[in-house]
Amino acid sequence: MQFFVDSTEISDIKEALALGLCDGVTTNPSLIAKSGRSLKPVIQEIAGLAEGPVLAEVTGSTADTIIAEGREMAAWAENVVVKIPVTIEGLKAIRVLESEGVATGTTLVFSPSQGLLAAKAGTRYVIPFLGRLDDISAAGIGLAVQIQEILSNYGFDAEVLAASVRNPGHVTACALSGVPIVTAPLNVYKQMAGHPLTDIGIQRFLADWESAKAEL
Ligand code: G3P
């Protein structure tokens, strides 16, 4: 299972790399805006740090503008993957870019039919948003599982990259269902390490050791 970091925070990406929890990085226009920097230097810096794919999202809405943006982004670094929203224009652009050898991810996927179209267009990553579906009382994990099933039914090369992953439960649900890639903020991965009984256990062991060690 691959863990991508959904962030433009360089310190978080470095920490995730040190933890062995950064198989790739995803960004989106909101995260770029939050970084206060422009797209190209942020993506180039991240692409230089991360060994895996770095997904940078286009903002164009016509196939021609998306293709132009995608070609430009792909030239920034070898590991840049162009992230494209699943619209009709986006699907046209995905076909063209993939035929030129530019790797794409298809984002803002909220239905199995969108996922199927993205795979048919030849995208490398189909990106369903779990948390945003949960926000409207739909089960995000169910969507990821359905898309996974569609991809494997027909042997598509595309992989599910589950996004809008906001808590350890989302990651565990993906792991139990065989979803190959998740992307989440570093904090979610750190939360996975925590358990109150672990903290209590450490405290007890240390207290017992402190009280006994003088006599040993
Ligand atoms: O990169 C897309 C994604 O992970 C967004 O997450 O929490 O804003 O729904 P969220």
Side-chain angles (χ1 to χ4, degrees):
M1 184 177 192
Q2 293 186 57
F3 284 11
F4 285 18
V5 181
D6 195 31
S7 179
T8 52
E9 282 293 327
I10 301 299
S11 57
D12 282 2
I13 292 163
K14 285 183 177 168
E15 191 174 355
L17 280 164
L19 281 163
L21 299 176
C22 184
D23 300 308
V25 176
T26 52
T27 67
N28 61 42
S30 306
L31 290 171
I32 297 290
K34 200 171 146 201
S35 77
R37 301 168 64 195
S38 46
L39 182 64
K40 184 176 175 181
V42 177
I43 295 299
Q44 281 185 319
E45 185 174 2
I46 296 171
L49 288 170
E51 285 148 25
V54 175
L55 281 80
E57 189 161 338
V58 298
T59 50
S61 54
T62 64
D64 286 346
T65 55
I66 294 169
I67 291 165
E69 273 183 86
R71 285 177 181 151
E72 192 191 332
M73 286 173 177
W76 292 345
E78 274 188 3
N79 51 343
V80 167
V81 173
V82 181
K83 205 172 164 209
I84 300 170
V86 59
T87 60
I88 294 296
E89 292 298 299
L91 292 167
K92 288 180 197 164
I94 288 163
R95 280 182 66 79
V96 172
L97 289 169
E98 288 285 352
S99 74
E100 294 175 359
V102 173
T104 66
T106 306
T107 193
L108 289 165
V109 170
F110 290 99
S111 74
S113 58
Q114 289 179 316
L116 175 55
L117 287 179
K120 279 288 284 178
T123 202
R124 312 270 169 102
Y125 302 105
V126 179
I127 310 176
F129 277 37
L130 274 55
R132 292 191 193 184
L133 276 173
D134 290 355
D135 289 344
I136 58 160
S137 302
I141 184 62
L143 171 63
V145 170
Q146 284 178 327
I147 295 173
Q148 180 69 29
E149 197 177 331
I150 289 169
L151 297 184
S152 77
N153 280 348
Y154 295 97
F156 283 114
D157 287 334
E159 290 186 291
V160 174
L161 194 176
S164 190
V165 164
R166 301 196 187 138
N167 55 58
H170 278 150
V171 180
T172 308
C174 285
L176 287 169
S177 306
V179 173
I181 314 168
V182 292
T183 187
L186 175 62
N187 194 37
V188 170
Y189 300 135
K190 285 182 161 177
Q191 285 172 353
M192 289 169 69
H195 196 289
L197 289 177
T198 305
D199 298 337
I200 291 167
I202 291 170
Q203 278 167 14
R204 272 194 208 151
F205 286 151
L206 288 180
D208 289 347
W209 174 243
E210 282 303 319
S211 60
K213 75 178 176 190
E215 296 152 31
L216 296 176

